[in-house]
Amino acid sequence: MRFGYSPRCLDHDTGPRHPETPDRVRAIREGLKRKHGVEYVDADPATMDEITAVHETDYIEELKEFCANGGGDWDPDTTAVEESWDAICKSAGLSQWAAESALDGEQGRDTPFAIGRPPGHHAVYDDAMGFCFVNNVAVAAKYALEERDLDGVAIVDWDVHHGNGTQDIFYDDGDVFFSSIHEDGLYPGTGDHDETGEGDGEGATMNVSLPAGAGTADYEAVFERCLEPAIERFDPDLLLVSAGFDAHRHDPISRMRVSTEGYALFTDRLRSLCDRVDMPIAFVLEGGYGLDVLADGVAIVHETFDGRQPIDPDEDVSDDVLACIDEVREIHGLGEK
C-alpha cells in the first residue's frame, strides 16, 4: 500500500496520558518497517475553502485562532497546541490525497491509506469533539464529489465509536452513503438504527449498533448482510473507509472482541466488493488506542492488499447480532436473509 504521512501530524501534542498521542502514528510506522511494499507519500494541506466545504466557516476561523493563541482544552477530551492547526490541515490534505489517488487508479498493492492525525470522524459541521477537529473523511468525500465530478461516494466507518460527525455533515446529502458499525451505548451515544438520513439523504445513512462483546464473525455478518448490499444498491463511484482499530479485543477503551485477523477479513470483503462493481477504495485512519494492536491492524490491512489470504473465524454469529442485522435490513428495505 501507499501510506499518506507527514511528520507535521506528530506536532499535534495532546499532552501526557491522552490516548490520541503522536505515538499512534509512530507505532504504525514502526510496525510497517517489517513489511514489504510500503511506500510513504506526503500531500499538500487542505485549504480553508476545502475544509469549509464541510464545516461552518465561523467555527473553522475560531479553531484557527484558538491554535494561533496557543491552543488548550477545546473540551475535556479535545486539546490542541499552536502547531495543531498545521497538523489538522495536513491530516485533511492526506485524506484528500487518498481519495484522489484511488480515483487515479492506484489500487491493488498501491491502494492509498492516509495515516494522518488528529482523527476526524467525530467532528461535526460546527464543532470539534472526541479528539477530532476537522472531519478528514468528509473533506475527502466532498473534494472527490466536487473536483472529480462524481455522482456518489460511500463511506464505511468500522471504528468502534459511531462516526457522528460524518453522519451530521452528510445527513441530508443524497450523494454520500454513510454506514457505521459501532458499539451500542459507547461515546458519543448516537448512531441508532433508525437514524437513516433526512431530506435528499433519506435512506443514505445506515447505522449498525452492536452489543458490547461482538466479535469478528458478528462484524463479518454485518458486512455481508447489511453494508455490502446497501452499498451495491447505492452504486457509488468511490469507497472511503474510516478505519479505526479500537473494536479490537485488546484495545483499552472498548468492549468489542474483533481479532487482528478480523481486520484482514473486513478489508478483503470491501476489496472484493470494489472489484465486483469496479469501484476504487481508499482508507483514512480514525481511532485505535492500544499501540501494538493499532500497528498490527494497519499492517494486516497492508498485508491483505499485498496478497495475504485472511482466515475465516471459527465462531458463530450471536443471536443478538442476528437480531440487529434483521432490524437494519428491514429498516433499509433489504429484505430477509
Side-chain angles (χ1 to χ4, degrees), residues 199-215:
D200 292 342
E202 177 59 44
T205 293
M206 172 181 279
N207 286 300
V208 187
S209 182
L210 297 180

Side-chain angles (χ1 to χ4, degrees), residues 126-262:
D126 59 356
D127 204 1
M129 60 182 291
F131 315 159
C132 304
F133 294 95
V134 163
N135 196 306
N136 302 315
V137 76
V139 171
K142 193 69 170 180
Y143 177 84
L145 286 165
E146 294 187 349
E147 297 299 320
R148 301 299 289 262
D149 196 28
L150 305 187
D151 291 329
V153 172
I155 300 171
V156 169
D157 189 329
W158 73 39
D159 191 282
V160 76
H161 304 93
H162 178 235
N164 63 298
T166 314
Q167 174 174 300
D168 175 69
I169 290 167
F170 294 121
Y171 204 58
D172 61 355
D173 189 337
D175 294 332
V176 176
F177 179 83
F178 172 66
S179 54
S180 176
I181 175 173
H182 48 271
E183 181 181 329
D184 182 42
L186 200 61
Y187 179 92
T190 52
D192 292 339
H193 296 163
D194 59 1
E195 297 172 22
T196 61
E198 62 185 17
D200 292 342
E202 177 59 44
T205 293
M206 172 181 279
N207 286 300
V208 187
S209 182
L210 297 180
T216 297
D218 298 314
Y219 270 71
E220 192 176 18
V222 172
F223 274 78
E224 178 185 3
R225 303 179 193 181
C226 297
L227 272 58
E228 292 172 32
I231 292 169
E232 285 195 69
R233 183 174 65 184
F234 186 76
D235 192 26
D237 300 309
L238 172 68
L239 176 60
L240 299 174
V241 182
S242 272
F245 295 87
D246 38 8
H248 194 282
R249 63 182 61 179
H250 296 309
D251 189 271
I253 63 174
S254 83
R255 300 169 293 175
M256 296 310 226
R257 302 290 298 165
V258 174
S259 65
T260 299
E261 193 67 29

Side-chain angles (χ1 to χ4, degrees), residues 77-119:
D77 297 318
T78 313
T79 189
V81 293
E82 182 177 353
E83 295 81 3
S84 295
W85 175 251
D86 286 343
I88 289 164
C89 295
K90 181 65 80 166
S91 189
L94 290 168
S95 301
Q96 289 177 312
W97 161 83
E100 192 161 43
S101 297
L103 290 165
D104 285 340
E106 294 185 10
Q107 295 291 276
R109 284 183 165 88
D110 292 329
T111 298
F113 194 142
I115 54 170
R117 60 175 291 277

Side-chain angles (χ1 to χ4, degrees), residues 24-37:
R24 297 177 63 242
V25 175
R26 294 189 183 105
I28 291 170
R29 282 170 53 84
E30 187 65 28
L32 291 172
K33 284 182 179 179
R34 301 186 293 271
K35 308 302 176 183
H36 296 290

Side-chain angles (χ1 to χ4, degrees), residues 42-57:
D42 203 342
D44 292 333
T47 66
M48 283 288 285
D49 286 346
E50 290 162 348
I51 292 171
T52 57
V54 299
H55 286 290
E56 182 187 62
T57 300

